[in-house]
Amino acid sequence: MELISQHTKAIMEECKLRARDAGLVFDNESLEYIVTNRDLIELSAKVMIPTLYEYWVQDVEVLQGHGRYKLFPNNPYETVINSRPAISFYNDNNPDWLNIMIFYHVIAHIDFFQNNIFFEHTWSDDFVGQALADKRLIESLRSEHGRWLDYVIEFSRGLDNMCGFYKQLSVRKLPKDKLLSDRVAYYFDDFLQVNLNLPKHEIYREIERYNKLHSENVRNRDSQFFADVRLRYPEFNATYNKNHESRKSVPADILEYIRDKSPKLQSDEHSWMKTVIDIVRGTSIYFDPQIRTKVTNEGWASYWHDELFRKDDRIIGHEVAYAKTNAAVTSISRIGLNPYAIGMRLIRYVEELANKGKMQYEFQRINNYDIRNDYDDDLGAGRRTIYDLRTCISDYSLINTFVDQDFVDRHKLFVAGKMLNEERRTFQYYVKSRNASDYKNMLIDSLYHPPLIRIIEDKSDDSTLYLSHEYEGKQLINEFIGETMIGIEYLWGGNVQLETTDIILKRDSADSNGHEKELRRVLYTMSGRKLEKKVL
């Protein structure tokens, strides 16, 4: 692995200039490395972070990667990580014209990382440097505690998909002058609406009063605003302080709860385990937004590499090669989901809607197909709208908001069904639905959605941790329950109980799948590394 040549770096810097002219916003500094396929396989096991701590699972993944490469050799074009400065890796056999396309793609990723609100908690951190510090600490603890450290890593990683990302995201890190203070947010969001249950017109009146003080640039405007609030609502300060203290004391997720509340980890003998849990949890939170914005992020990068490279004079003579490469990346998969294809087309679709004024309420009221199809208010707000979109949207909100029947019809999208041909003993695929709601649900079902598991403190004590899984249409994977609960039992130092929902299928019913679903609430108990299950 080595830095790209000065010749290739000059190409990258030229791409940066053109990307900024188009409106992309990103830091000046970036690092680009040339790597071999072997390097990429080994880096992939560490989520492309060279300084990530060592763990035995990474060795297994590297061996699997080498095995897959022998069977299916391929040349990945690039990968980029969200760090300060941003670091990207490029295959060592890319020609210059391909690097130009890839550089635009990477720059758009960096723009997304550094502007999308879901990455907000990463904006001021150098994760590569932090990972190196974590790695050194892990090695120090491993030399002292041996295999027990790997047990703690493994048990923590079994829970790191439930790392409380959204609760962590609510802890804002932007400068205070750009945000509402906690007191103001609590006053409008909770106190007026929940505690007092005021009618909307009174809440709007308060918002108008607050905005007026800001528009007039009144000195100490928040203090002046709350001086009047205290006169009308003397109980506000006590209510806010009580709420603020209670929020600070509530852990965001299971890992944080175990770290702070586990009787075992509070002892001096086991306190080092808290450090390991913190490292695993922090790493998971850092990467969480990438999996929650996969479609949007790849769509954004694909949109811009196509938009910028097709207008770049350096494409001359490589148009056909580019078309083939671009089609391989962004073609729609009829079976399954290609995030590059769907994300790029949704962003283009939003741009077109905004340009034609189709995001306005007047258009939404139109039901006639021909009128909707020909509607064009020539608003020209497309580019501004997709920049706003890039700032505040995730995969779920993008798909749930903009996948409609017009989008599905335009791209001839459909939900595929699968059935067994008993005569040939093969599966056959067929068009199951062309309805937008069905296609949208298929996309949403394919998104990352970890289970929601709550700690029931009323049923927990020093000897038992009681967890409750909230059923959201999918049951937990039974084969993982026992191993995960063993890890929790070890970290808690006592029994663990998990309340969840099993789906029982009954055959020979009249529904579309030939099965009738019965939901059954069950309780798993892990005690002494033995798992028991009973129906509630």
Side-chain angles (χ1 to χ4, degrees):
M1 184 169 68
E2 60 184 24
L3 288 170
I4 60 174
S5 67
Q6 289 300 306
H7 167 74
T8 310
K9 183 67 173 177
I11 294 174
M12 176 56 148
E13 294 304 314
E14 177 65 22
C15 290
K16 286 182 180 179
L17 292 175
R18 300 188 187 210
R20 284 197 177 94
D21 288 342
L24 296 179
V25 179
F26 47 89
D27 291 346
N28 289 326
E29 295 80 15
S30 63
L31 289 173
E32 294 82 30
Y33 288 92
I34 294 293
V35 291
T36 64
N37 288 331
R38 177 178 290 273
D39 292 330
L40 286 172
I41 290 171
E42 294 176 355
L43 282 169
S44 296
K46 291 190 170 188
V47 207
M48 305 308 299
I49 305 293
T51 56
L52 199 68
Y53 61 84
E54 303 294 340
Y55 180 53
W56 69 269
V57 169
Q58 296 160 356
D59 297 331
V60 174
E61 291 176 352
V62 168
L63 292 174
Q64 290 176 338
H66 285 309
R68 282 193 296 268
Y69 185 79
K70 288 180 180 178
L71 293 174
F72 309 104
N74 61 90
N75 293 320
Y77 296 131
E78 54 77 24
T79 188
V80 57
I81 59 176
N82 176 32
S83 60
R84 287 292 193 277
I87 299 176
S88 49
F89 304 94
Y90 304 88
N91 199 279
D92 57 359
N93 55 14
N94 292 341
D96 284 350
W97 72 265
L98 184 57
N99 272 334
I100 296 171
M101 168 194 167
I102 295 171
F103 287 157
Y104 284 134
H105 191 93
V106 165
I107 289 168
H109 274 313
I110 297 171
D111 168 86
F112 193 91
F113 290 148
Q114 297 180 1
N115 292 281
N116 183 273
I117 198 71
F118 289 90
F119 292 85
E120 179 186 68
H121 65 288
T122 72
W123 290 347
S124 58
D125 296 332
D126 171 22
F127 184 71
V128 174
Q130 181 62 50
L132 179 59
D134 292 342
K135 178 180 180 178
R136 289 169 175 167
L137 183 54
I138 288 285
E139 290 305 316
S140 172
L141 292 172
R142 182 176 278 118
S143 66
E144 184 177 351
H145 300 284
R147 62 189 175 90
W148 298 106
L149 176 128
D150 289 285
Y151 287 153
V152 177
I153 292 177
E154 186 158 353
F155 296 151
S156 301
R157 284 170 64 125
L159 299 170
D160 70 349
N161 62 323
M162 298 173 285
C163 64
F165 167 68
Y166 284 106
K167 290 184 180 179
Q168 188 75 21
L169 192 65
S170 66
V171 181
R172 316 289 292 202
K173 291 188 177 182
L174 290 176
K176 290 296 183 183
D177 61 344
K178 294 185 179 180
L179 299 164
L180 295 177
S181 68
D182 287 342
R183 186 179 296 270
V184 173
Y186 174 76
Y187 179 68
F188 287 111
D189 294 342
D190 296 290
F191 185 73
L192 296 182
Q193 299 184 56
V194 179
N195 294 56
L196 300 183
N197 195 23
L198 292 183
K200 288 184 178 180
H201 70 274
E202 293 190 30
I203 297 174
Y204 293 152
R205 190 180 301 138
E206 280 296 275
I207 293 174
E208 185 178 352
R209 186 170 72 87
Y210 182 80
N211 288 340
K212 184 177 180 182
L213 288 174
H214 273 254
S215 65
E216 295 174 353
N217 201 24
V218 175
R219 186 179 178 83
N220 298 323
R221 47 191 178 263
D222 279 10
S223 299
Q224 184 172 327
F225 178 78
F226 282 107
D228 185 64
V229 168
R230 285 193 296 272
L231 292 176
R232 286 186 291 163
Y233 308 116
E235 73 277 21
F236 171 74
N237 274 351
T239 306
Y240 167 73
N241 290 334
K242 182 179 178 180
N243 175 270
H244 190 64
E245 289 302 317
S246 65
R247 280 192 299 139
K248 286 197 301 184
S249 64
V250 177
D253 51 67
I254 295 177
L255 268 180
E256 192 172 49
Y257 189 89
I258 291 174
R259 183 198 67 190
D260 296 343
K261 305 287 187 178
S262 166
K264 178 177 181 176
L265 302 189
Q266 306 316 309
S267 67
D268 292 339
E269 180 185 0
H270 300 112
S271 60
W272 62 270
M273 296 182 183
K274 292 183 179 182
T275 301
V276 181
I277 291 174
D278 260 343
I279 291 172
V280 172
R281 182 174 178 272
T283 302
S284 179
I285 288 177
Y286 199 90
F287 285 107
D288 207 294
Q290 295 192 27
I291 196 169
R292 295 183 189 274
T293 60
K294 175 71 173 178
V295 175
T296 315
N297 198 342
E298 294 296 357
W300 181 254
S302 299
Y303 169 92
W304 281 109
H305 85 232
D306 190 48
E307 181 76 12
L308 293 173
F309 192 39
R310 284 190 296 109
K311 296 177 181 178
D312 194 314
D313 55 351
R314 292 173 291 181
I315 196 177
I316 296 173
H318 304 286
E319 293 88 347
V320 174
Y322 166 73
K324 291 174 65 176
T325 302
N326 187 55
V329 173
T330 63
S331 59
I332 294 176
S333 300
R334 294 305 178 186
I335 308 296
L337 168 64
N338 179 354
Y340 298 81
I342 296 298
M344 183 185 75
R345 284 164 177 80
L346 277 172
I347 289 170
R348 289 199 183 281
Y349 183 58
V350 172
E351 183 179 33
E352 179 187 315
L353 292 179
N355 278 331
K356 294 184 176 181
K358 290 187 175 183
M359 297 179 72
Q360 300 178 100
Y361 178 64
E362 290 77 7
F363 174 78
Q364 303 300 325
R365 296 177 59 189
I366 300 173
N367 292 322
N368 184 281
Y369 175 82
D370 292 329
I371 296 177
R372 289 177 65 89
N373 193 49
D374 296 335
Y375 187 94
D376 189 351
D377 200 21
D378 197 22
L379 199 60
R383 186 59 58 86
R384 183 176 71 249
T385 300
I386 62 172
Y387 274 120
D388 291 341
L389 195 77
R390 170 265 267 142
T391 302
C392 62
I393 208 160
S394 67
D395 288 350
Y396 175 80
S397 49
L398 178 70
I399 291 169
N400 192 51
T401 305
F402 296 109
V403 173
D404 55 21
Q405 197 62 53
D406 291 342
F407 178 77
V408 170
D409 291 343
R410 170 176 301 184
H411 298 291
K412 299 180 174 62
L413 303 173
F414 57 84
V415 178
K418 184 172 72 171
M419 62 183 178
L420 177 65
N421 184 322
E422 295 187 1
E423 182 179 339
R424 296 186 176 183
R425 306 303 298 172
T426 58
F427 282 107
Q428 293 180 333
Y429 292 91
Y430 63 96
V431 176
K432 185 177 181 180
S433 173
R434 296 185 185 274
N435 186 280
S437 62
D438 293 334
Y439 189 79
K440 178 191 295 186
N441 289 335
M442 182 197 73
L443 293 181
I444 290 174
D445 286 345
S446 71
L447 299 180
Y448 174 73
H449 186 71
L452 176 58
I453 297 182
R454 305 182 190 278
I455 298 101
I456 309 301
E457 293 196 86
D458 293 343
K459 298 183 179 181
S460 300
D461 53 37
D462 286 355
S463 62
T464 302
L465 177 63
Y466 196 99
L467 307 173
S468 179
H469 168 228
E470 184 170 318
Y471 179 71
E472 298 177 286
K474 295 181 180 179
Q475 71 177 47
L476 298 177
I477 301 175
N478 290 332
E479 62 184 287
F480 297 150
I481 290 176
E483 294 178 0
T484 304
M485 289 183 69
I486 284 179
I488 300 174
E489 181 190 33
Y490 177 80
L491 295 174
W492 186 257
N495 299 334
V496 180
Q497 292 186 300
L498 170 66
E499 187 179 322
T500 184
T501 299
D502 275 355
I503 300 175
I504 309 300
L505 300 179
K506 296 182 177 180
R507 295 184 177 275
D508 303 324
S509 61
D511 75 343
S512 59
N513 295 318
H515 300 287
E516 179 184 347
K517 292 181 180 180
E518 177 187 333
L519 302 182
R520 181 181 297 171
R521 201 68 178 167
V522 297
L523 180 68
Y524 288 92
T525 301
M526 177 63 69
S527 179
R529 292 187 292 176
K530 292 184 178 179
L531 185 66
E532 294 182 357
K533 175 182 177 181
K534 72 175 183 178
V535 178
L536 297 178

